[in-house]
Amino acid sequence: MNREKSSYAVQTVEKALDILEALTEESRHATLPYLAERLELSRNKAFRLLATLESKGLVERDDTTGIYRLGISSVELAQRLLNSTSLIRHAHPVMEKLARRHDEAVYIAVLKGEEVLFLDMVDCEQAIKTAPLVGKRFPFFTNAAGKAIKALESVDLLEKLLKKRGKNNGIPDPVRFQSELTNVRERGFAVDVDGLGDGIVSVAVAVRDYAGKVIGALTVLGPSFRMITSRLEGELIPSLKEGAETLSLKFGYAKL
């Protein structure tokens, strides 16, 4: 294959991936015309890409509305990919232990750009619980996992980030937020109230690898009436710190 054909093949793969990404974000209006316009494709090319993805079960089309959505093969592929990652494989037993001990939802989350992605969860048996967040992304400053991870970046990087995001960065008070991250760094854990929804409290501790790099955060979520201060300080935070230390050790991290 010559360079021109190779380049075309890569562009086609990129556009196919763009379609899959678009379908993870939009499910109500994902018709052929909508996707073609959004991805700047001709309708003919968009149709051919969608037909190929549909033949592999990666997308499905509603014959009545013409709306496309992710197919069952995409879900299965994503699940196999998640299960194969070492972080989830090592984290899940630790999460199960925490969930059994405290009967609250436990997550492992990672930072993707400036967003937190919730990778895996072990749910609780409580009658009242938070909605599942696996696969969802949130700005790092709206939750304990993001704060626990960001707090361990260098002060210079944090200052540059806050300046880069500018006045309309979504952070209500950047100066106060930076002070909060300093406290998180000193205490070794983060707590957030209402950032993921009214009445939801999240608490998190960062996980490190052999080089000391933060690779994720163990997080517990629950309704505020159960996540009271005395329980956080006397029960959940010590357990999360222990769990994060255990998980970090699995990745070769040795605290000096």
Side-chain angles (χ1 to χ4, degrees):
M1 179 181 292
N2 62 36
R3 181 174 298 179
E4 183 178 342
K5 289 183 178 180
S6 178
S7 177
Y8 174 79
V10 170
Q11 290 175 5
T12 300
V13 172
E14 287 178 345
K15 288 300 182 182
L17 293 174
D18 287 343
I19 287 176
L20 293 176
E21 183 173 359
L23 292 177
T24 66
E25 302 170 354
E26 179 58 75
S27 58
R28 294 175 298 171
H29 310 294
T31 60
L32 173 60
Y34 172 88
L35 292 169
E37 180 179 357
R38 174 171 173 173
L39 300 175
E40 299 180 347
L41 294 169
S42 68
R43 291 193 183 187
N44 182 51
K45 185 170 183 179
F47 174 79
R48 285 188 281 112
L49 286 171
L50 285 163
T52 301
L53 293 171
E54 188 175 5
S55 71
K56 298 295 184 181
L58 295 172
V59 303
E60 298 174 350
R61 181 180 179 275
D62 187 306
D63 291 334
T64 302
T65 63
I67 292 175
Y68 288 88
R69 60 179 62 88
L70 290 177
I72 189 65
S73 293
S74 289
V75 178
E76 293 173 346
L77 182 62
Q79 192 61 52
R80 288 198 298 269
L81 176 62
L82 289 177
N83 288 337
S84 69
T85 63
S86 60
L87 178 57
I88 291 179
R89 187 170 64 251
H90 288 309
H92 202 82
V94 176
M95 295 160 60
E96 287 182 329
K97 182 177 179 180
L98 289 169
R100 287 197 301 268
R101 180 185 298 174
H102 304 293
D103 200 17
E104 297 291 354
V106 183
Y107 288 83
I108 186 70
V110 296
L111 198 65
K112 293 293 183 182
E114 295 180 16
E115 293 181 316
V116 169
L117 170 64
F118 288 84
L119 281 181
D120 191 25
M121 172 189 74
V122 176
D123 208 353
C124 62
E125 299 295 330
Q126 299 279 2
I128 299 176
K129 61 180 74 176
T130 59
L133 300 181
V134 173
K136 296 186 180 297
R137 298 176 183 236
F138 298 88
F140 72 86
F141 53 85
T142 63
N143 56 88
K147 294 175 183 179
I149 295 171
K150 278 292 184 182
L152 296 177
E153 290 190 351
S154 73
V155 175
D156 288 343
L157 285 176
L158 290 174
E159 289 179 347
K160 290 180 180 178
L161 173 65
L162 294 177
K163 289 179 180 178
K164 178 182 178 182
R165 292 179 68 87
K167 295 182 179 180
N168 299 319
N169 56 21
I171 302 175
D173 188 339
V175 175
R176 182 177 178 181
F177 181 73
Q178 193 161 9
S179 176
E180 181 181 1
L181 292 186
T182 298
N183 288 332
V184 170
R185 188 184 305 112
E186 293 173 349
R187 297 181 302 176
F189 65 89
V191 177
D192 179 85
V193 180
D194 296 337
L196 294 173
D198 292 341
I200 297 177
V201 175
S202 61
V203 55
V205 178
V207 176
R208 298 173 184 258
D209 66 9
Y210 67 95
K213 180 183 177 181
V214 177
I215 56 176
L218 277 176
T219 309
V220 172
L221 302 183
S224 57
F225 68 85
R226 289 203 303 265
M227 306 284 278
I228 57 177
T229 301
S230 59
R231 186 181 180 216
L232 290 176
E233 295 179 348
E235 182 183 334
L236 295 175
I237 291 170
S239 283
L240 268 179
K241 284 186 172 181
E242 179 183 339
E245 183 176 354
T246 297
L247 187 51
S248 295
L249 286 172
K250 290 180 181 293
F251 286 94
Y253 177 68
K255 189 174 181 179
L256 298 178

